[in-house]
Amino acid sequence: MDQIGKWTLYLIALVAGFTTGIGTIGLFPQMWLEYGMTGLVLHLIFLAILTYVAIIEAEKVMKSGYHFAELYRKVTKRPAMILTILVVILMFLSYYTANTMLVFLGPVVGTGIAGRLIAAFTMLAIVYVILTRAKDKTFLIMAGGALFFILAITVTAVAFKLTIPSTAEFLALAKHMATSSHGITPEMIKDTASRAIYGIGLGFAFYLMLGSFMNERFNSKLIIGTGVVIQVIIGFLSAVIVIYGLAPTSPGRLVKYVYGGNEAAINVMKNLPNILSAHPLLLGLFALSVFMAGLTSILPIAEVGLQIMESSFRVGRNRAALYLTGIVAVLAIVDAPPSAAEMVLNAVSAALFFTAIFELYSVLTIKKGASGPETAFAWIMIAIFAGGGLYAIVDLFRKGGIYIGSAILAVLVVLFGFFGDTIIPRGE
């Protein structure tokens, strides 16, 4: 196999690892069980559409010859947009690093403020070492970690299926939920679309970075398409793990997980040591899978943030890594309280609709290789993202309480992306 063939396999694994994340393991099964086959089909349709968006982005940047961060300064001339993406990345990493490391450290340090800080700082130290020491091998390390994760989640799903008896109490209830049909509602459309945009990872500029890395000898459709297909398979395996993991428990716990939203999914993760106390091997395999899912998302997103800092602030890689991890560490202190972390998480989820617009808008300004149908499709998707983002923000305001803080934070971040160019010093 030649170098292009090897790197194609590495990049497929990288995309699969990036798109999976903890959400695929904890939230994809929840969405599927709540909305049944109807929700699953809707979700897969959204995934297919968003995968095409990701392919367009990667191909356009690849053919442009620009580094993705340079597009916003030299072509689009909207640097506030790329800086807004950077802000969302920093916010995301501030809570996601803690959530990922708590998989291992939670039983020791707890999941309160102190525990979250210890977990976040530990993960940030790991990220800093990889970003600064690996350098040109960072992509290879990320791809290797993703391959290990794919193997780990597969082994874990098989182990759960073989260990938990298929006659376990309430297993039939979970299977019925997964295969049921429902009427399509606005809430179902919002939830399945949100899960898809979060699953594909639009809004983090990952596919723009991927396009900067590749040349025209790479097949971006094969790389991104296959990576997303693997993510879907991992989602199905995760559903097997969750269903068989919750099978020995009461129906009340299962129902609470399915209809309780993000908080319920997080609580199930916290209670797994008790739920699986009779199966320490399964618990260990599950913890390893969740940790690797988080790590294989953190590293690519951190790499995007680092490259934006390098390009935007004209600093070297090591200094950019120091700035990145330092700012995230400060934000981790701010959102160390679980309620604050929840507020930031919801703000990021809403803001991603708009950073997905900023991401897609940058490639629309590239005239080289532009085609009418692609351009029309891109503008249609921008309109859809705008509608989805506005709906998400209004929904947060409507929920009240801490969600109002999430909505305000998302609005402030998004407004900077649209109007912040007036306060940014003009460069070259």
Side-chain angles (χ1 to χ4, degrees), residues 60-100:
K60 293 281 283 185
V61 175
M62 177 178 66
K63 293 174 181 177
S64 74
Y66 283 100
H67 182 270
F68 75 96
E70 291 179 332
L71 283 174
Y72 293 87
R73 193 172 68 252
K74 297 182 177 179
V75 180
T76 305
K77 300 188 185 303
R78 297 294 302 272
M81 287 185 172
I82 192 67
L83 291 179
T84 301
I85 292 173
L86 174 61
V87 169
V88 170
I89 286 172
L90 296 172
M91 291 166 58
F92 171 83
L93 291 175
S94 70
Y95 65 81
Y96 200 77
T97 49
N99 292 348
T100 299

Side-chain angles (χ1 to χ4, degrees), residues 10 37 48 111 165 178 265 278 295 415-416:
Y10 293 150
M37 290 301 296
T111 57
L295 184 63
L415 286 177
F416 175 76

Side-chain angles (χ1 to χ4, degrees), residues 104-125:
F104 283 140
L105 296 185
V108 179
V109 302
T111 57
I113 294 176
R116 290 188 62 83
L117 286 175
I118 293 171
F121 293 162
T122 302
M123 179 56 77
L124 286 172

Side-chain angles (χ1 to χ4, degrees), residues 17 20-26 96 100 103-104 145-146 148-160 234 237-238 241 269 272 281-297:
T20 300
I22 296 176
T24 298
I25 296 179
Y96 200 77
T100 299
V103 172
F104 283 140
F148 180 79
F149 162 64
I150 294 168
L151 176 62
I153 194 72
T154 303
V155 171
T156 303
V158 172
F160 268 78
I234 291 172
L237 294 175
S238 300
I241 292 170
M269 297 289 186
L272 274 179
L281 176 60
L282 295 183
L283 182 61
L285 286 172
F286 183 78
L288 177 62
S289 297
V290 173
F291 174 78
M292 291 305 301
L295 184 63
T296 54
S297 293

